[in-house]
Amino acid sequence: MKIRKAVFPVAGFGTRFLPATKAMPKELLPIVDKPLIQYAVEEAIAAGIDTLIFVTGRNKRAIEDHFDANNELETMLRAKGKDAEADMVRNIIPAGVECIFVRQAKQLGLGHAVLCAERAVSDDPFAVLLADDFLTDYVPGVTADLAQAFASSGKSQLSVMEVDGPDISKYGVVVPNGSGAGIAGLVEKPDAGDAPSNLASIGRYVLTPDIFDTLRGLSAGSGGEIQLADAINIHAQQGLVETVRINGRRFDCGSVDGFMMASHYEYQKRLEI
């Protein structure tokens, strides 16, 4: 079955980027000249996804405005002979792609954010993309790889990468399956000494719609929140989850250091063209 829907949880406060994010969503901070969220959206569209579901919160209206048409701006640009810029504004969302915005009234964790999208997702398998994970240097993208793997097996798919040393404690960590097929579990942010492997789950997923029933049955986990990793762990224990190793480069743009490294990297690439 083809993946046609993607969920983008974008309700967070972005406190690590204050005061820049006091009034502007973190997801609209630019990597060079393009907002962080737009890179994730373009990756989803490249994977054949045509329904984009944004789970938003307070002060996130600017994200909706970014992906909406702006006829006044286009008209002004064309009147000044800036047709290339006008085309850029018009084509942020290609024809045939729909944007849906749902509200997460309280920030109760990533699992809760995904659960907020249930009505829009319905009974379809879907992708989840976390814009904080900035992925570059690979076309068509990690989401396309996950969608292809799902089409082959019908099982939920996690994007993973190797992380050695104490940083492994920042991630959901894969519990390997002894047979080498699929995974046996997923542990959210274990102590480095207790990590079951060096395979870390990063912010790209393809999930089956039965994840919603699992999320509804969860109690608060790490950080007192409803954790998506806990629901995935339950499905993994049932043999329903596989992994796909990422291609390309990944930057953690949830931190200022990672965001600045990503910006510098992308800017240097443009200088070399």
Side-chain angles (χ1 to χ4, degrees), residues 1-209:
M1 187 173 183
K2 186 175 176 60
I3 303 298
R4 304 296 296 269
K5 296 178 179 178
V7 174
F8 301 85
V10 292
F13 288 119
T15 53
R16 294 181 184 179
F17 290 85
L18 288 170
T21 51
K22 179 178 181 290
M24 181 177 72
K26 174 187 63 178
E27 294 82 8
L28 290 182
L29 294 174
I31 301 291
V32 189
D33 57 359
K34 187 187 299 183
L36 190 57
I37 186 64
Q38 191 173 330
Y39 288 95
V41 163
E42 290 174 356
E43 180 188 324
I45 292 171
I49 289 166
D50 59 17
T51 303
L52 312 176
I53 303 162
F54 298 87
V55 181
T56 69
R58 183 175 174 83
N59 294 330
K60 299 287 181 162
R61 178 60 187 270
I63 294 176
E64 185 172 350
D65 289 343
H66 177 74
F67 290 109
D68 197 3
N70 190 329
N71 295 326
E72 295 85 355
L73 177 58
E74 288 182 42
T75 299
M76 182 273 290
L77 289 169
R78 295 195 192 282
K80 294 185 175 182
K82 297 183 177 182
D83 289 332
E85 289 85 348
D87 290 341
M88 184 188 306
V89 171
R90 174 178 291 274
N91 294 327
I92 285 177
I93 292 295
V97 175
E98 179 185 10
C99 294
I100 299 172
F101 296 86
V102 298
R103 179 65 68 95
Q104 183 184 19
K106 294 183 179 180
Q107 293 185 32
L108 301 177
L110 176 58
H112 180 261
V114 171
L115 190 55
C116 290
E118 180 179 14
R119 189 169 295 180
V121 170
S122 189
D123 294 325
D124 298 319
F126 63 103
V128 177
L129 294 90
L130 307 185
D132 282 357
D133 280 297
F134 177 72
L135 305 178
T136 187
D137 290 358
Y138 179 61
V139 175
V142 173
T143 300
D145 287 350
L146 293 172
Q148 183 176 9
F150 173 81
S152 297
S153 73
K155 294 183 177 183
S156 292
Q157 303 291 328
L158 306 183
S159 57
V160 297
M161 68 177 190
E162 292 185 3
V163 176
D164 295 311
D167 282 351
I168 193 69
S169 64
K170 300 176 182 178
Y171 300 88
V173 181
V174 165
V175 180
N177 186 315
S179 68
I183 65 173
L186 187 70
V187 180
E188 178 69 4
K189 298 180 179 178
D191 291 337
D194 297 328
S197 74
N198 69 340
L199 280 183
S201 171
I202 66 164
R204 299 291 188 277
Y205 314 82
V206 164
L207 302 172
T208 50

